[in-house]
Amino acid sequence: MLVFGLVSLMAVPLWAGSIDTAFLERPWPKERIRETEVGRHAVTWREYANKQEGIFAGVRFTAPLSRRDVWALANEYQDVGAITPGVTAVRYVARSERRDVIEVDVKILWKSLTLRFEVEKEPPALVKFRLVHEALGEYRGLSRFEEAGAGQTAVDLVTWLKPNRPVPIRLLLVVERIAMLQASRKFLERCERRVQQGQDTSSSMR
């Protein structure tokens, strides 16, 4: 669920320091909030866009799995291509329990690009990520996972993009909304399949 902005990334150091996302966790100025659905699931969408402050986007939903299982699914980066348009390959440059560096190959129209993301993890509650590019600007985000009772997990994904050059902000926000809602739908479908697999296993053992 980490790759929503499909842009080029030049070489950067493997790690550029701790990822600050505190500003994403505070209320955004003049944010717009609306309830919608992806597939059979209700989600809450948040957004705010401003040329000076950048693009803020967020989606909240409840996954029908325990936090442990949702955490495991959310960190299966090899499956990013299955839920994100344009992704053709994902590989680890560095990997540990708390920090990863991940390269993602994407294809946009006729161009093939490689993105490099820094990822910080606080299992099983929080994932932060960052992409930095001197032409694009900076892209950061976080995913928070909280127990919601009855074997469910509340998921909150928020992102921020600050372009370095003049771009059509509203158009980028539309693209981000479409990509994040589509990725959320596919993630929830994976959760549902995992639930069904568990039920099938339990039935076969009776």
Side-chain angles (χ1 to χ4, degrees):
M1 293 180 62
L2 296 179
V3 187
F4 299 107
L6 302 182
V7 291
S8 163
L9 179 66
M10 297 171 62
V12 298
L14 284 187
W15 203 257
S18 182
I19 302 172
D20 178 17
T21 58
F23 67 100
L24 282 173
E25 302 184 65
R26 295 190 292 267
W28 308 335
K30 300 179 181 179
E31 69 177 25
R32 292 188 294 178
I33 303 174
R34 67 187 181 95
E35 305 296 325
T36 186
E37 293 183 352
V38 292
R40 299 187 298 106
H41 297 270
V43 303
T44 300
W45 174 258
R46 298 191 297 145
E47 65 180 44
Y48 171 68
N50 178 282
K51 289 184 179 180
Q52 288 72 42
E53 298 173 273
I55 298 170
F56 296 75
V59 61
R60 298 171 181 160
F61 56 84
T62 300
L65 287 174
S66 68
R67 185 163 71 162
R68 182 190 64 183
D69 290 338
V70 169
W71 175 266
L73 281 179
N75 284 276
E76 291 176 358
Y77 301 131
Q78 67 272 20
D79 293 331
V80 165
I83 65 174
T84 309
V87 173
T88 58
V90 179
R91 57 189 168 272
Y92 288 94
V93 177
R95 187 177 188 182
S96 69
E97 182 181 359
R98 298 270 177 180
R99 291 183 172 182
D100 298 327
V101 178
I102 304 166
E103 286 188 345
V104 180
D105 294 337
V106 301
K107 190 169 185 180
I108 307 173
L109 299 178
W110 60 89
K111 289 187 177 182
S112 295
L113 310 170
T114 297
L115 319 181
R116 178 175 287 183
F117 286 83
E118 304 165 66
V119 181
E120 287 183 356
K121 299 178 289 184
E122 298 178 17
L126 184 69
V127 175
K128 301 178 182 180
F129 64 90
R130 172 173 57 198
L131 177 152
V132 180
H133 182 257
E134 61 183 27
L136 164 76
E138 188 165 355
Y139 185 59
R140 296 188 216 176
L142 65 89
S143 295
R144 184 178 296 280
F145 310 95
E146 298 180 343
E147 294 178 352
Q152 299 185 103
T153 303
V155 179
D156 190 3
L157 170 65
V158 293
T159 65
W160 169 74
L161 173 63
K162 184 64 171 70
N164 273 349
R165 59 179 61 182
V167 292
I169 292 290
R170 292 297 173 184
L171 177 59
L172 284 180
L173 179 57
V174 170
V175 171
E176 186 80 341
R177 181 192 307 128
I178 292 171
M180 288 179 69
L181 291 178
Q182 179 174 332
S184 298
R185 177 179 61 81
K186 292 187 175 182
F187 183 78
L188 284 163
E189 289 173 352
R190 292 175 63 208
C191 290
E192 289 181 326
R193 287 196 295 271
R194 185 65 61 90
V195 170
Q196 186 60 50
Q197 290 169 2
Q199 292 173 346
D200 292 344
T201 299
S202 297
S203 296
S204 65
M205 294 176 65
R206 291 173 184 171

